[in-house]
Amino acid sequence: LVDGGVVNPVPSNVVAAMGADIVIAVRLSGAPMATANGLDAINRGSARLTIFQTITRSIELMQSKMSADTASAATIVLEPDFGEGSSTSLRHFSDGRRFIASGRKVTRDALPRLATALRWLQDE
């Protein structure tokens, strides 16, 4: 089940409510929004945002909070590390390919937890 990120960025709670015994979620929150988007600098008065940047960053902060809340219903949550200062935001969708390696790594690292939750993986 996938949501476009507008209402429910990590819809694991929906899948759990549908009766799934095991829910695996991928949370693409990236770096903490306040640091990744330079809000620390703005709080110090060293930068000014346009109205578009303010609205976009507000949406990103809202989605980060929503994804944390909705991901809590998952049995296992995979959260790729996008690196210091990186952001997976609405404005950088075209940069997605550079995060494939991070996704693969977090999945490999989660294999023991996945095998525990999905017993049939232990036979492989």
Side-chain angles (χ1 to χ4, degrees):
L1 181 62
V2 177
D3 178 90
V6 176
V7 176
N8 193 343
V10 186
S12 62
N13 59 336
V14 175
V15 175
M18 292 171 69
D21 294 329
I22 298 167
V23 179
I24 300 168
V26 179
R27 185 168 178 250
L28 302 175
S29 60
M33 291 296 177
T35 302
N37 291 323
L39 292 179
D40 289 341
I42 290 158
N43 290 335
R44 291 190 307 269
S46 62
R48 301 277 185 234
L49 292 178
T50 66
I51 188 68
F52 176 75
Q53 290 170 320
T54 301
I55 291 169
T56 302
R57 289 179 183 173
S58 296
I59 291 168
E60 291 168 355
L61 287 168
M62 178 183 62
Q63 286 179 331
S64 178
K65 171 72 169 109
M66 286 186 323
S67 71
D69 292 346
T70 59
S72 65
T75 309
I76 297 173
V77 179
L78 304 178
E79 295 186 78
D81 180 9
F82 297 109
E84 186 74 28
S86 291
S87 172
T88 56
S89 72
L90 297 172
R91 297 163 294 150
H92 303 289
F93 186 76
S94 62
D95 292 340
R97 290 192 187 280
R98 70 185 174 119
F99 300 120
I100 291 172
S102 178
R104 286 183 177 145
K105 180 183 182 332
V106 76
T107 303
R108 275 192 306 273
D109 292 349
L111 283 176
R113 291 183 294 145
L114 291 166
T116 299
L118 304 168
R119 301 274 181 214
W120 57 268
L121 281 177
Q122 294 178 1
D123 297 336
E124 303 267 331

